[in-house]
Amino acid sequence: MQKGYYGAFGGQFVPELLMPPLEELEEAMARIVRSRNFLTDYAQLLSDYVGRATPLTLCRTLSQEVGFNIWLKREDLAHTGAHKINNTMGQALLAKHMGKPILLAETGAGQHGVATATAAAALGLECVVYMGATDVERQAHNVRRMELLGAEVRPVHSGTKTLKDATNAALRHWIAEQGTTHYCLGSVVGPHPFPELVRDFQTVIGHETRQQSVEKFGGLPDAIVACVGGGSNAIGIFHPFLEDREVRLVGVEAAGEGTPDCYHSASITKGTEGVLHGAKSRLLQTPDGQIMPSHSVAPGLDYPGVGPEHVHLETSGRAEYVSVTDDQALGAFRALCRKEGIIPALESSHALAYVLENIDVFEPGSNVVVNLSGRGDKDLGIIAELDL
Ligand SMILES: *Cc1c(COP(=O)(O)O)cnc(C)c1O
């Protein structure tokens, strides 16, 4: 397979100026991330700081209702309340080993910015977060969190004043200050080597799940279900099971309002092939290649692209991809709150919704693991507006 490609997807579709920092990062990955010294440090941070291993929890009431076992992989219990910290701690530690004192990040809804600011504070790095000016206004809480953690939030006033413009600003900064900065990308997207780097840090979810499955029910899960925005929590739990063909892997995208011409975020199931943020993947675009606005009630799924490895897993048939609507996700959100005492993130609610809406496809008595990527406290404003 060609370097940085997953089948026909991935690669490095970037301006020449971005090649030197990408090559430096690739070299550092090979030299540092696989070294014993780094792996020991990282494992210790994951256990003592992030709070891993996260539990595998049986849904006692829902399992009884549906007739098979629904297990939740509890990333909501990781420090800062989601899986994003696995990646930002890994990249912050890498930056430290590379001798770079400053972490750069871009953020839309603010969750990745908070996770990056957290990792930077924990490891004594500076942190600069670029955020579209519109998002800065909409996400005042997360801006305050980042500032409390010592990060500098820079509002970006160009273009649509959202994530895309923040990404461009952060990349410009990285090119200009390569010697002192590391660009901390938030999902398995972007040019090589980012999809591989972020995946490597998130596979801890899948490795733990494998061991816990054997402990709790004496074998591998029959199915693993995860929501897909950029795709990092899903690839993290899928990847250690790729060779186990008997384990069904299901990625769940956001169908938005679910009406024929509505905005949604289902890049794999409803998108077309193209290049976005430096990689060949599938994305939401018009026939002449303009990126279309995406929509989901879950802020973390609201992205017009997806990580290239997922497109490869779909085309090769190893994983299947489906979509659920905002309303279905909200139904699952409510069910988990009321019946299990867990308030899930709206993103994670999409994964659970697929299971609850398709109980006929699972054998009675089988074991289905849902990756509960995050907790829902961050979504209470959205829930309040919807008046549920
Ligand atoms: C950011 C986020 C996601 C989406 O990102 P992926 O890279 O697809 O995992 C999903 N769930 C939660 C809780 C998030 O914060």
Side-chain angles (χ1 to χ4, degrees):
M1 198 153 66
Q2 213 181 328
K3 189 188 72 166
Y5 274 83
Y6 307 91
F9 304 95
Q12 287 178 317
F13 296 80
V14 298
E16 204 50 46
L17 283 170
L18 205 53
M19 286 308 291
L22 288 175
E23 280 166 4
E24 185 190 13
L25 180 59
E26 194 178 344
E27 183 279 325
M29 264 177 76
R31 182 169 48 89
I32 298 170
V33 176
R34 307 201 195 329
S35 73
R36 176 162 314 210
N37 196 352
F38 181 92
L39 290 172
T40 309
D41 248 10
Y42 181 53
Q44 184 165 31
L45 285 168
L46 287 181
S47 68
D48 299 356
Y49 184 80
V50 175
R52 306 202 70 93
T54 60
L56 187 66
T57 304
L58 178 67
C59 291
R60 292 173 179 237
T61 306
L62 286 173
S63 297
Q64 244 176 6
E65 285 181 12
V66 299
F68 54 86
N69 300 316
I70 302 178
W71 300 87
L72 304 175
K73 181 56 177 160
R74 301 293 304 279
E75 293 303 294
D76 61 316
L77 294 179
H79 180 47
T80 69
H83 68 291
K84 286 190 169 74
I85 192 79
N86 303 327
N87 169 46
T88 58
M89 282 311 278
Q91 291 199 50
L93 189 63
L94 176 59
K96 217 171 152 84
H97 280 249
M98 289 171 80
K100 309 225 169 181
I102 305 170
L103 282 187
L104 301 175
E106 86 291 317
T107 195
Q111 295 303 117
H112 174 58
V114 172
T116 307
T118 301
L123 295 182
L125 299 168
E126 285 177 50
C127 181
V128 178
V129 180
Y130 288 89
M131 197 168 178
T134 308
D135 290 331
V136 169
E137 268 172 47
R138 283 195 294 219
Q139 305 290 341
H141 265 80
N142 279 334
V143 172
R144 199 153 309 132
R145 280 191 189 102
M146 288 183 261
E147 288 174 347
L148 282 171
L149 293 161
E152 181 194 337
V153 179
R154 294 194 184 163
V156 177
H157 294 279
S158 56
T160 55
K161 305 185 173 69
T162 55
L163 182 61
K164 176 165 59 69
D165 315 288
T167 305
N168 291 336
L171 286 175
R172 268 198 303 276
H173 188 155
W174 196 30
I175 289 169
E177 313 270 343
Q178 181 190 342
T180 53
T181 59
H182 170 70
Y183 182 55
C184 183
L185 221 156
S187 190
V188 286
V189 298
H192 175 71
F194 281 111
E196 190 180 318
L197 180 68
V198 178
R199 180 194 72 200
D200 282 358
F201 291 135
Q202 292 292 2
T203 50
V204 65
I205 307 173
H207 288 301
E208 287 176 7
T209 300
R210 170 180 280 273
Q211 192 182 340
Q212 291 166 325
S213 299
V214 173
E215 286 164 12
K216 302 248 174 213
F217 48 83
L220 299 185
D222 296 289
I224 298 176
V225 185
C227 66
V228 178
S232 69
N233 84 88
I235 211 79
I237 196 166
F238 288 176
H239 207 264
F241 294 91
L242 288 185
E243 304 299 319
D244 306 292
R245 309 291 302 195
E246 71 275 21
V247 180
R248 258 186 80 196
L249 305 174
V250 185
V252 184
E253 298 192 298
E257 285 159 16
T259 50
D261 289 319
C262 75
Y263 290 133
H264 55 81
S265 306
S267 337
I268 301 179
T269 45
K270 298 193 172 83
T272 52
E273 202 174 305
V275 170
L276 179 67
H277 297 150
K280 189 187 281 186
S281 186
R282 232 177 259 165
L283 47 126
L284 308 179
Q285 59 186 338
T286 60
D288 57 352
Q290 300 288 331
I291 302 301
M292 296 200 298
S294 54
H295 163 80
S296 169
V297 72
L301 301 184
D302 195 346
Y303 175 67
V306 66
E309 191 167 10
H310 284 292
V311 187
H312 175 57
L313 290 178
E314 196 258 359
T315 47
S316 69
R318 177 58 190 100
E320 52 197 293
Y321 293 85
V322 297
S323 63
V324 311
T325 65
D326 289 351
D327 282 346
Q328 290 172 323
L330 289 164
F333 172 90
R334 239 179 331 240
L336 203 66
C337 292
R338 294 286 183 86
K339 298 188 173 171
E340 304 292 342
I342 296 170
I343 302 177
L346 287 172
E347 292 84 2
S348 326
S349 301
H350 282 71
L352 181 65
Y354 169 74
V355 176
L356 297 182
E357 297 276 338
N358 294 278
I359 54 179
D360 295 346
V361 310
F362 301 100
E363 295 285 329
S366 60
N367 291 296
V368 177
V369 173
V370 172
N371 198 14
L372 202 74
S373 54
R375 65 174 184 229
D377 306 51
K378 68 182 182 61
D379 297 321
L380 295 188
I382 298 171
I383 301 292
E385 257 170 54
L386 291 170
D387 200 18
L388 285 173

